[in-house]
Amino acid sequence: MLKNLTFLSGLTPTKPCFRRFVSIISFSFGIWVKFYCIFKPDSRILQSQSTQMNLVHSIDSKPLDLTILHDIQSNNKKLSLSPNAILRIEKCRAYLDEKMSTVSKPIYGINTGFGALHNVKIKGENLQKLQENLVMSHACGAGDEVPQEIVKLMLLLKIQSLSYGHSGVQLDTVSRLVDFYNNDVIPVVYEQGSLGASGDLAPLAHLALPLIGMGEVYCQGVRMRGEKALAHFGWEKIKLQSKEGLALLNGTQFMTAYGIHCLLKAHKLSYLADLIGAISLEGFDGRIEPFNELVHLVRPHRGQLKTAERLREFLSDSELIAHEKQHVQDPYSFRCMPQVHGASKDTIRFVTKTFLTEINAVTDNPNIFVDEDEIISGGNFHGQPLALTLDYLSIAMAELANISERRIYQLVSGHRHLPPFLVSNPGLNSGFMIPQYTAASIVSQNKQLATPSSVDSIESSDGQEDHVSMGANGATKARKVVNNVQTVLGIELFTASQALSFGKGKSSPFLESFIGAFREEVSIVQEDRVMHDDMMAASQFIDSLEVDSEELF
């Protein structure tokens, strides 16, 4: 747990020793790293831990969860297909090939056109061309490029979905997606174009184009044409067989990749909102009583209980929180942190449950059931469950920024023992006046971004797709909200640490250690300076923190 951090006297925060023999997060070289030791880590320890780490994740029937995904990303693990996954893929493809040789009736997406053209029967000699045409014609993305880390997550989630053996793809096709992932061949994908209903068609078409030597990729950081990337590795173009184009394009991997990316950050920011809120409380000379467990046991929402517990732990052994107060109550933004932060925690947990169901599911169409001898055209590509929860996540995260900005406002307003705008010579110096403006501006933008996307639907494909989720728009908005929350929390940390410098006494040992580490990046403000640099450094400090996944998930 992050809260177990302690520094021995005489050591700088970048060279820590540890007093405790538990799962400890320590600040080292700008990143919070977990060690299990009671002495200063050196390169030999780090190397031995690294070599013992399993650096390959096997795609199997074991469900993915946030801990596994965080582990894959943070350790830059490679992927491999397990023997069972290979068996399922090959069994399904063999079944489909046999079915196509014996059945002449139209089967949607396999020997027919797509969408509104579903009644057009395609001759056998044109089935490969049909799939390639599908990929090319649907690659109609627009707007900004999807960040490469999210595209890489799209690849992982598409591989996972295809590995269940209900999609009819060739093993070569899935194996090439694994090759892309393992060799950092990242397709260029665009943010706009998906309605979040027939699968994320346009983005997934761009994801699939390099398989047939088209589109563009970042090949180990260098942008190039898909064909050139294949040649670089000596890979042949994939010859798409019946249904494969549809299997690649149908699916919710654009929405789920954005959602998982946001959730990994949301869990962390939720934790840090509690931590930074505790620093603000100390800077404001706040009271501990509202976090008494008795208060929360009579209204036992899980997130509320957890927030109050964390705040008590963060403030343990604080001189500031223990001394006698002159005021009876604190404003809601301090006193109601368990109720507000806790509600966001409960929402994040609900959204996580929905997304974990989705990423461990088959979301293309039609679905092939080999043992039941069935090929069924359904609607598992429809993103409504994701659209609703992405909107819910944006609202919950926006609230963390809302209450954070209110604490910033209270801290700079000259209340209690604090000088106006947290500067020693106000008037000559504006101090922390404008960081609060910036936070307010960002919070206002979040309110606009949190307006639900899922309430909208526009008919498409000549009425065949007459209800869509708009979850893809909700996904890109959610990422902006989450990034904005990080910025606001960075401003609060910057402001709260300044307020704490005016306190008479020490905070808890943990919070003092945390502030000490932060002070290595951002110093106390004595007189006016360019605060943009400080705010960005604070946000980067937050971004660099690593919290034990057992504490987060």
Side-chain angles (χ1 to χ4, degrees):
M1 293 171 57
L2 184 59
K3 79 180 194 65
N4 289 330
L5 168 70
T6 54
F7 295 116
L8 297 182
S9 60
L11 293 170
T12 64
T14 53
K15 295 181 180 178
C17 290
F18 312 107
R19 290 178 175 170
R20 300 190 62 177
F21 192 72
V22 294
S23 173
I24 298 175
I25 299 294
S26 72
F27 189 81
S28 180
F29 307 108
I31 302 176
W32 295 95
V33 185
K34 181 165 67 174
F35 298 99
Y36 294 90
C37 53
I38 53 173
F39 47 84
K40 183 168 76 74
D42 60 25
S43 59
R44 289 169 297 171
I45 295 171
L46 293 176
Q47 186 174 5
S48 67
Q49 287 183 342
S50 177
T51 54
Q52 293 172 10
M53 196 175 298
N54 181 4
L55 296 178
V56 177
H57 171 76
S58 179
I59 300 291
D60 205 337
S61 55
K62 180 182 178 181
L64 293 172
D65 60 26
L66 292 185
T67 300
I68 292 171
L69 290 166
H70 178 263
D71 178 54
I72 292 170
Q73 288 190 328
S74 61
N75 293 306
N76 197 27
K77 287 190 172 183
K78 306 293 186 183
L79 303 181
S80 67
L81 294 172
S82 70
N84 284 337
I86 292 172
L87 179 63
R88 290 193 299 267
I89 293 167
E90 291 185 324
K91 180 180 178 181
C92 186
R93 183 66 222 180
Y95 168 84
L96 182 58
D97 286 339
E98 180 182 2
K99 181 68 69 174
M100 292 302 298
S101 67
T102 58
V103 175
S104 59
K105 70 176 184 179
I107 305 175
Y108 173 72
I110 298 176
N111 57 6
T112 72
F114 308 102
L117 303 174
H118 61 281
N119 286 321
V120 179
K121 181 81 167 8
I122 307 299
K123 295 180 179 179
E125 62 268 23
N126 291 325
L127 293 184
Q128 179 180 337
K129 183 64 175 175
L130 172 70
Q131 302 303 316
E132 292 182 353
N133 283 349
L134 176 68
V135 175
M136 291 188 293
S137 66
H138 284 53
C140 295
D144 295 334
E145 291 181 19
V146 176
Q148 292 182 48
E149 62 182 314
I150 295 180
V151 178
K152 193 167 185 179
L153 192 49
M154 289 173 66
L155 286 170
L156 167 59
L157 298 179
K158 175 56 75 174
I159 293 164
Q160 182 75 24
S161 183
L162 296 177
S163 74
Y164 292 119
H166 294 288
S167 304
V169 291
Q170 301 174 90
L171 179 60
D172 286 348
T173 303
V174 185
S175 296
R176 183 57 45 77
L177 292 174
V178 173
D179 290 336
F180 284 178
Y181 187 95
N182 289 343
N183 291 280
D184 284 326
V185 177
I186 309 300
V188 175
V189 181
Y190 300 93
E191 285 189 344
Q192 295 174 329
S194 172
L195 298 176
S198 305
D200 292 311
L201 292 175
L204 290 176
H206 284 280
L207 191 78
L209 279 174
L211 292 170
I212 57 175
M214 303 187 76
E216 291 183 291
V217 301
Y218 287 97
C219 182
Q220 299 174 350
V222 179
R223 186 167 178 157
M224 63 181 67
R225 301 295 300 175
E227 188 172 24
K228 184 177 180 180
L230 296 183
H232 174 77
F233 289 98
W235 295 333
E236 296 291 330
K237 298 177 184 178
I238 296 294
K239 295 180 180 178
L240 296 178
Q241 303 300 309
S242 57
K243 193 189 177 296
E244 285 201 283
L246 199 56
L248 291 165
L249 271 57
N250 268 168
T252 58
Q253 285 76 37
F254 178 86
M255 290 179 283
T256 51
Y258 266 93
I260 293 298
H261 172 83
C262 290
L263 282 168
L264 288 169
K265 292 195 71 171
H267 281 276
K268 173 182 167 181
L269 291 174
S270 173
Y271 178 96
L272 293 174
D274 297 343
L275 173 54
I276 295 167
I279 298 170
S280 290
L281 183 78
E282 290 281 71
F284 198 63
D285 193 28
R287 303 186 68 99
I288 190 71
E289 291 86 351
F291 314 124
N292 189 304
E293 186 180 29
L294 293 173
V295 174
H296 306 287
L297 287 174
V298 295
R299 195 200 194 195
H301 292 291
R302 181 176 173 182
Q304 179 176 330
L305 285 163
K306 185 63 179 177
T307 303
E309 177 188 9
R310 279 185 183 161
L311 288 167
R312 293 193 302 272
E313 289 176 344
F314 291 149
L315 296 165
S316 177
D317 298 324
S318 166
E319 296 175 7
L320 289 172
I321 204 71
H323 78 72
E324 186 176 353
K325 310 294 181 181
Q326 301 301 312
H327 49 278
V328 177
Q329 280 188 339
D330 295 321
Y332 286 0
S333 57
F334 297 94
R335 186 174 12 136
C336 297
M337 281 191 282
Q339 290 79 6
V340 178
H341 291 199
S344 290
K345 283 182 179 62
D346 290 338
T347 300
I348 293 167
R349 188 178 302 109
F350 170 74
V351 175
T352 299
K353 180 178 181 294
T354 300
F355 269 81
L356 293 184
T357 298
E358 187 77 6
I359 66 174
N360 292 292
V362 178
T363 58
D364 66 288
N365 186 64
N367 302 134
I368 300 171
F369 302 93
V370 177
D371 294 339
E372 293 81 3
D373 190 21
E374 293 277 5
I375 300 176
I376 303 172
S377 180
N380 280 352
F381 47 66
H382 202 295
Q384 192 70 8
L386 305 179
L388 293 173
T389 48
L390 284 164
D391 287 339
Y392 198 11
L393 179 65
S394 291
I395 293 168
M397 294 304 294
E399 280 303 303
L400 290 181
N402 286 350
I403 196 170
S404 173
E405 183 278 328
R406 289 292 81 196
R407 291 191 294 264
I408 295 167
Y409 177 84
Q410 294 285 355
L411 290 169
V412 303
S413 295
H415 299 314
R416 298 184 180 175
H417 66 290
L418 297 173
F421 305 112
L422 301 178
V423 68
S424 298
N425 191 5
L428 176 63
N429 294 298
S430 294
F432 281 71
M433 179 188 296
I434 305 305
Q436 185 269 327
Y437 283 39
T438 302
S441 170
I442 295 170
V443 163
S444 179
Q445 184 185 65
N446 269 358
K447 293 173 184 176
Q448 298 163 41
L449 291 170
T451 300
S453 297
S454 57
V455 296
D456 185 31
S457 178
I458 299 177
E459 179 182 305
S460 62
S461 196
D462 197 25
Q464 183 68 8
E465 298 159 12
D466 57 351
H467 180 277
V468 298
S469 77
M470 296 299 181
N473 289 339
T476 55
K477 291 200 296 99
R479 176 173 174 265
K480 294 175 183 177
V481 170
V482 169
N483 288 342
N484 281 345
V485 173
Q486 177 177 305
T487 303
V488 173
L489 288 176
I491 295 172
E492 184 184 0
L493 175 58
F494 179 37
T495 306
S497 62
Q498 179 80 5
L500 197 59
S501 70
F502 293 98
K504 296 179 180 179
K506 289 188 175 295
S507 184
S508 69
F510 169 67
L511 291 183
E512 290 288 344
S513 295
F514 183 84
I515 292 297
F518 178 64
R519 283 283 168 248
E520 292 291 310
E521 306 298 325
V522 180
S523 62
I524 292 174
V525 176
Q526 304 291 354
E527 57 184 17
D528 281 350
R529 65 195 193 202
V530 178
M531 288 190 169
H532 164 83
D533 299 337
D534 296 313
M535 293 190 305
M536 294 304 99
S539 180
Q540 179 56 40
F541 179 82
I542 287 175
D543 194 51
S544 71
L545 301 179
E546 181 74 25
V547 185
D548 192 333
S549 61
E550 293 180 5
E551 178 69 20
L552 295 184
F553 312 133

